[in-house]
Amino acid sequence: MTKSQPLLSLLLFIFISGTISQSIIQLSRDHDVYCNGWRFSVETNDVGYWDHVPSRCVSYVQDYMTGDGYRSDSEVAASYALGFAKTVEIAGDGKDAWVFDVDETLLSNLPYYAVHGFGSEPFDELSFDEWVDLAEAPALQASLNLYKELKQLGFTVFMLTGRSEHQRNATAKNLQLEGYSDWERLILRESSDQGKPATFYKSQRRLELVNEGYRIHGNSGDQWSDLFGFAVSERSFKLPNPLYYIP
């Protein structure tokens, strides 16, 4: 072996290592760029119906949901909602209303999805119902702060959820444990609502409120089906949710 061979071997090793590292970094960046674009399309409803998080984006969704991104996006949405709420002239007759969804709006099911693939696994109704019965979903802090501010401003608050009537006790308990109180009504799916698309079911329930004389100024939800349809609010506020889609 000549004296130059060790040097050549070292240079070759450095070159190969650098190339591999650069490829890994580039792959990671491409991965994040794609998944960031996918999440943007999900949030803007460009994707339309979708039933699971793409396998290549599971780690991205995990990092987003457990990191500063999700918290910050939720806070921004809440800040815009509060900004609008402060422009509403409260009549004082108890009819100025705000509607909240529950799951991924007031309460976070992230502990459940953390052990179920962060949205990459098929939805299992039985295991999710068992999770709901535990009444351990933590509050979304940005939404809890907004909720309290709205109450102080004089809004009458309704909770309109896709959960079923048999989950009322567990849901109410969970909400109270997490700091929500003094709501006007917690509305859940009755037996006659089973099978109805969420958009239609929630629109029907909002229409009932309107027919009772309530003025729905604001509506906060993580799904477009929380906000679309008829008897819609004056302003709607979409919270982030790349975990699942409900039509």
Side-chain angles (χ1 to χ4, degrees):
M1 178 181 290
T2 65
K3 292 182 179 180
S4 60
Q5 284 179 316
L7 179 59
L8 289 173
S9 298
L10 177 60
L11 291 174
L12 181 62
F13 172 77
I14 293 173
F15 172 76
I16 293 174
S17 299
T19 302
I20 292 175
S21 298
Q22 186 176 13
S23 298
I24 292 173
I25 292 172
Q26 186 63 46
L27 177 62
S28 176
R29 288 174 178 171
D30 290 344
H31 189 270
D32 286 351
V33 167
Y34 169 81
C35 294
N36 191 55
W38 173 82
R39 186 176 67 84
F40 173 81
S41 296
V42 163
E43 299 295 2
T44 56
N45 207 34
D46 289 344
V47 175
Y49 179 83
W50 57 279
D51 60 5
H52 67 280
V53 173
S55 58
R56 66 187 292 187
C57 296
V58 173
S59 60
Y60 171 88
V61 170
Q62 177 180 354
D63 290 344
Y64 170 75
M65 293 298 298
T66 59
D68 292 335
Y70 179 60
R71 176 188 54 77
S72 176
D73 289 349
S74 299
E75 289 174 351
V76 169
S79 70
Y80 281 117
L82 181 59
F84 163 71
K86 289 180 176 179
T87 69
V88 176
E89 293 186 12
I90 303 298
D93 58 359
K95 296 297 184 178
D96 293 298
W98 199 285
V99 175
F100 280 98
D101 173 52
V102 173
D103 293 301
E104 273 57 68
T105 300
L106 295 179
L107 299 176
S108 170
N109 297 301
L110 188 56
Y112 171 83
Y113 284 100
V115 295
H116 288 85
F118 287 95
S120 64
E121 298 178 3
F123 178 70
D124 181 67
E125 186 173 356
L126 179 59
S127 66
F128 184 75
D129 285 351
E130 291 173 349
W131 158 253
V132 169
D133 288 341
L134 294 176
E136 295 178 354
L140 278 157
Q141 190 60 49
S143 294
L144 179 58
N145 294 341
L146 172 62
Y147 182 96
K148 292 179 177 179
E149 292 274 8
L150 293 176
K151 292 298 300 180
Q152 290 184 353
L153 289 172
F155 283 91
T156 298
V157 174
F158 293 89
M159 299 173 181
L160 176 54
T161 174
R163 294 185 179 189
S164 298
E165 183 62 36
H166 69 84
Q167 297 170 316
R168 175 176 295 278
N169 290 342
T171 302
K173 176 183 177 181
N174 198 161
L175 288 164
Q176 291 168 343
L177 287 173
E178 290 302 314
Y180 297 100
S181 61
D182 195 29
W183 58 78
E184 182 68 18
R185 198 177 305 166
L186 172 60
I187 305 170
L188 302 97
R189 280 184 185 264
E190 300 176 0
S191 57
S192 60
D193 297 315
Q194 300 304 321
K196 292 180 181 177
T199 302
F200 184 64
Y201 152 67
K202 292 202 169 186
S203 293
Q204 283 186 315
R205 292 294 175 261
R206 289 196 303 268
L207 182 59
E208 291 174 359
L209 297 179
V210 171
N211 290 339
E212 291 179 32
Y214 288 100
R215 299 176 292 274
I216 306 177
H217 296 286
N219 185 8
S220 297
D222 66 292
Q223 300 290 319
W224 289 106
S225 54
D226 297 330
L227 314 173
F228 282 173
F230 50 90
V232 297
S233 58
E234 184 179 348
R235 285 285 305 276
S236 297
F237 298 90
K238 171 72 168 61
L239 278 72
N241 183 2
L243 293 170
Y244 57 85
Y245 175 82
I246 299 176

